[in-house]
Amino acid sequence: MSSSPFLNQIRRFLRVQNYSLRTEKTYIDWIKRFIYFNNLKHPETLGPEEVRIFLDHLANDRHVTPNTQRTALNALSFLYNIYLKQPLGDLGFRRASAKQRIPVVLSKQEVAELLRPMTPLNQLIFSLLYGSGLRISECLRLRVKDIDWNNQTLIVRNGKGDKDRVTLLSQYLKPAIEQQIDMAINIQINDNKQGIGPSLPFALGKKFPNAFRQPAWMFIFPSVTLCAHPLTGELCRHHLHGSSIRKALNRSLKSTNIYKKINCHSFRHSFATALLQSGTDIRTVQSLLGHSDLRTTQIYTHVIGQHYAGTTSPLDAIV
């Protein structure tokens, strides 16, 4: 099924429309599941009723989360509304609404406790997650050109929603980052001798065939192995995979007395919370995190028990 002419046509269409590889994989997967659910019938012969039944099945039989159901709907909306040009219209069902949950955050002491047993490489990665408010994917995709010591900032390219943003960069990390960059560039120099370099955006690689030799395009956290480029098939070096970083966090967590349910994203949550606790304006935090909607950022005011940064209990004024 994954190599079917129909799915390959959709894949090519997604690439022409400049959808990200992650979106491409997600949409193809949900379209494939929809086809299997309907006994391998071609989507052109199906319509809104079959889509509604599939989405209801996900919620009522598979018990997927509201976000998962929404992702499936986005994939099928793309398939019918954009690719097949058969608008779904009103599907006549109520989307499941996600419950607002307070994110788990770490105190400064807990962050330090988690960093302590890690290797220097993992310490640097998690320090960037906490110090710059990065998602793990954003951190691992950083290239040399994204670091700006003059302004003490770093640029996040193609973040969630395919958006770029500028965020803080801790001066404390400068020696570690510069050492890591030197190591990465040495790897690039050795790879270049074999005609290999870091994986590049497909369009850039076509326009500038020798860009892989420029240090600016080298990943700061290169993978230890080579791989085939997902679009061109050419041998290249990608960045570290997130799974190894998550394993490092689990190992570190086991060596502490921290019993919170945390993951890599908890460091980003903790970044936002720490800024609000220090009195940073919430709209500044929104910009640093790259949130489109202020309501997404406001959840962190509940984490610290304050609806606005700097607000404290009135009891503190009399005791």
Side-chain angles (χ1 to χ4, degrees), residues 58-71:
L58 293 178
N60 299 318
D61 302 327
R62 298 292 302 278
H63 305 291
V64 302
T65 66
N67 282 340
T68 299
Q69 186 194 46
R70 191 175 300 112
T71 302

Side-chain angles (χ1 to χ4, degrees), residues 279-303:
T280 304
D281 178 78
I282 193 169
R283 290 202 175 273
T284 299
V285 178
Q286 176 191 7
S287 176
L288 294 172
L289 292 173
H291 288 162
S292 299
D293 193 332
L294 184 63
R295 288 175 295 182
T296 306
T297 315
Q298 285 176 331
I299 186 66
Y300 297 110
T301 63
H302 297 284
V303 174

